[in-house]
């Protein structure tokens, strides 16, 4: 990258970071380009030049966030962690992403943006499912998942958890110790309510 490109890239990243920070506390419908411009200390024209519209900016912020999360997780996957550590890491990432993009916010963004919906579906099919299958296969190969438990069983079980993850996080927040609550849920995920066999 030459000097101009580097400067342009820095400005783009600054605008996107500002937008992400604002999404943590504001409804996307209430965020205006003028607000982002003021907070990022750039002109509105600059934002329109880089992104074209508020909707395109929000889409870019979300996609960038998701791409980074996937890259980071793929790197974690290649570091030789146990199945339990991988599942705990997934729950940790879900908890962290919940702070930035609560499920209600994601639903709102997806309802209003078909391009973003298509992107999420593509990521799910091409990245999330293959990564999850890899985790399961590695767990079966290491003896951490019983041989009689199929990939379909584990995928269904994970889906049950993920469908209720928003409710689980709310319960965790209301408990005396959030971390201990989530640790207990990980234990139940692996060993059921009767403990480790």
């Amino acid at each position: 990258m030459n000097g101009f490109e580097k400067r342009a890239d820095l400005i783009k990243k600054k605008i996107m970071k500002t937008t992400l920070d604002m999404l943590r506390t504001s409804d996307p419908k209430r965020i205006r380009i003028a607000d982002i411009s003021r907070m990022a200390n750039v002109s509105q024209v600059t934002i329109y030049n880089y992104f074209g519209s508020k909707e395109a900016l929000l889409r870019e912020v979300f996609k960038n966030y998701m791409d980074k999360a996937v890259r980071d997780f793929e790197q974690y996957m290649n570091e030789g962690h146990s199945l339990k550590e991988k599942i705990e890491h997934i729950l940790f990432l879900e908890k962290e992403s919940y702070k930035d993009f609560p499920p209600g916010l994601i639903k709102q963004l997806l309802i209003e943006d078909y391009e973003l919906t298509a992107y999420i579906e593509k990521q799910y099919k091409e990245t999330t499912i293959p990564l999850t299958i890899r985790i399961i296969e590695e767990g079966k190969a290491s003896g951490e998942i019983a041989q009689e438990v199929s990939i379909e069983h584990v995928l269904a079980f994970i889906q049950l958890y993920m469908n209720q993850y928003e409710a689980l996080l709310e319960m965790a927040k209301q408990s005396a110790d959030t971390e201990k609550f989530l640790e207990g849920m990980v234990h139940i995920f692996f060993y059921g309510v009767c403990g480790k066999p």
Side-chain angles (χ1 to χ4, degrees), residues 15-197:
I15 293 165
M16 290 171 70
K17 184 187 178 310
T18 300
T19 305
L20 178 59
D21 290 343
M22 292 175 78
L23 281 169
R24 289 182 176 121
T25 57
S26 303
D27 182 322
K29 288 180 180 170
R30 293 178 188 263
I31 297 173
R32 299 172 310 138
I33 290 290
D35 302 323
I36 298 166
S37 163
R38 191 179 67 256
M39 296 292 286
N41 200 25
V42 297
S43 73
Q44 292 182 47
V45 172
T46 299
I47 295 173
Y48 283 112
N49 283 342
Y50 285 127
F51 299 99
S53 67
K54 184 182 94 170
E55 292 70 31
L57 170 57
L58 293 176
R59 184 186 312 126
E60 193 70 23
V61 167
F62 186 75
K63 285 167 71 173
N64 186 64
Y65 184 92
M66 294 301 293
D67 289 345
K68 184 181 182 318
V70 169
R71 279 194 312 273
D72 290 350
F73 185 70
E74 284 177 325
Q75 181 182 334
Y76 184 86
M77 278 282 292
N78 295 325
E79 292 172 357
H81 298 281
S82 71
L83 176 69
K84 188 168 184 289
E85 288 169 331
K86 288 171 188 167
I87 299 295
E88 285 172 338
H89 190 67
I90 289 169
L91 288 175
F92 169 77
L93 291 176
E94 285 289 326
K95 188 177 75 173
E96 290 304 299
S97 68
Y98 183 84
K99 292 176 190 171
D100 294 324
F101 288 101
L105 173 59
I106 293 172
K107 283 177 199 161
Q108 185 180 336
L109 290 172
L110 294 180
I111 286 168
E112 295 170 3
D113 191 331
Y114 295 114
E115 189 179 322
L116 191 55
T117 303
Y119 165 81
I120 293 292
E121 286 171 3
K122 186 171 184 279
Q123 279 285 78
Y124 182 73
K125 286 178 190 166
E126 294 179 7
T127 308
T128 307
I129 289 294
L131 262 178
T132 306
I133 290 171
R134 180 182 154 194
I135 290 169
I136 297 165
E137 287 172 341
E138 288 175 2
K140 286 174 78 69
S142 67
E144 294 172 277
I145 296 176
Q147 289 306 310
E148 59 267 26
V149 176
S150 70
I151 288 173
E152 289 77 18
H153 289 135
V154 181
L155 286 173
F157 197 59
I158 290 170
Q159 192 60 55
L160 288 171
Y161 256 65
M162 298 323 285
N163 287 348
Q164 295 303 314
Y165 199 71
E166 187 175 359
L168 286 173
L169 279 176
E170 284 305 318
M171 289 179 204
K173 277 199 235 173
Q174 292 169 14
S175 73
D177 187 335
T178 302
E179 296 305 317
K180 207 146 190 69
F181 182 92
L182 292 173
E183 281 171 24
M185 294 309 297
V186 170
H187 186 87
I188 290 170
F189 180 90
F190 281 102
Y191 312 119
V193 293
C194 297
K196 191 171 182 178

